[in-house]
């Protein structure tokens, strides 16, 4: 089961490298903007990651949810903080978000088990 995290990260890294190697200025700027937007600012990184997680769940982007879950985990957010944020996402997004909530919960469990 822990392969799900490794597979996701390997695929993401491989494809990002391919995309960025095409030297498309617009795409490079979007990637750069994304990186800079989640840096410490008026809001701390943990808050920004939770905001990204909620937006990703509402927009039903499983890859984005996984990315933000992993960053939340690396930033030291608790399961309770993450699940409360996902509960807000489910409230805002409606029941259509529930399948994404299930996958997010499963992914968080894998992240936690990798550190055990």
């Amino acid at each position: 089961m822990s392969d799900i995290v490794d597979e996701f990260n390997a695929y993401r890294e491989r494809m990002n490298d391919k995309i960025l190697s095409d030297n498309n200025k617009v795409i490079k700027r979007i990637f750069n903007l994304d990186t800079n937007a989640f840096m410490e600012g008026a809001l701390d990184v943990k808050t920004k990651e939770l905001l990204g997680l909620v937006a990703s769940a509402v927009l039903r982007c499983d890859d984005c949810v996984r990315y933000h879950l992993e960053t939340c985990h690396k930033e030291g957010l608790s399961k309770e903080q993450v699940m409360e944020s996902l509960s807000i996402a489910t409230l805002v997004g409606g029941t259509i978000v529930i399948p994404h909530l299930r996958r997010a919960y499963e992914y968080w469990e894998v992240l936690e088990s990798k550190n055990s």
Side-chain angles (χ1 to χ4, degrees), residues 3-26:
D3 288 343
I4 192 171
V5 173
D6 296 333
E7 288 172 12
F8 172 73
N9 287 326
Y11 175 77
R12 185 175 177 277
E13 184 176 342
R14 185 177 70 251
M15 293 311 300
N16 284 353
D17 288 347
K18 283 185 178 192
I19 291 166
L20 292 171
S21 71
D22 275 347
N23 206 25
N24 181 300
K25 188 186 294 186
V26 174

Side-chain angles (χ1 to χ4, degrees), residues 26-39:
V26 174
I27 289 176
K28 283 188 172 189
R29 286 182 176 172
I30 290 169
F31 273 58
N32 183 273
L33 179 62
D34 180 69
T35 298
N36 285 302
F38 283 90
M39 290 181 168

Side-chain angles (χ1 to χ4, degrees), residues 46-103:
K46 290 178 180 183
T47 301
K48 288 182 177 187
E49 285 303 326
L50 290 173
L51 290 168
L53 177 61
V54 169
S56 297
V58 170
L59 292 169
R60 302 186 307 272
C61 176
D62 284 334
D63 280 6
C64 302
V65 168
R66 286 180 176 184
Y67 172 80
H68 289 292
L69 283 173
E70 191 159 352
T71 306
C72 286
H73 189 262
K74 287 177 184 173
E75 287 294 321
L77 287 156
S78 69
K79 178 179 181 177
E80 291 77 18
Q81 290 170 309
V82 169
M83 293 310 147
E84 188 168 321
S85 298
L86 286 170
S87 72
I88 299 298
T90 306
L91 173 67
V92 171
T95 57
I96 196 166
V97 174
I98 291 172
H100 305 276
L101 173 64
R102 289 184 193 117
R103 288 188 288 274

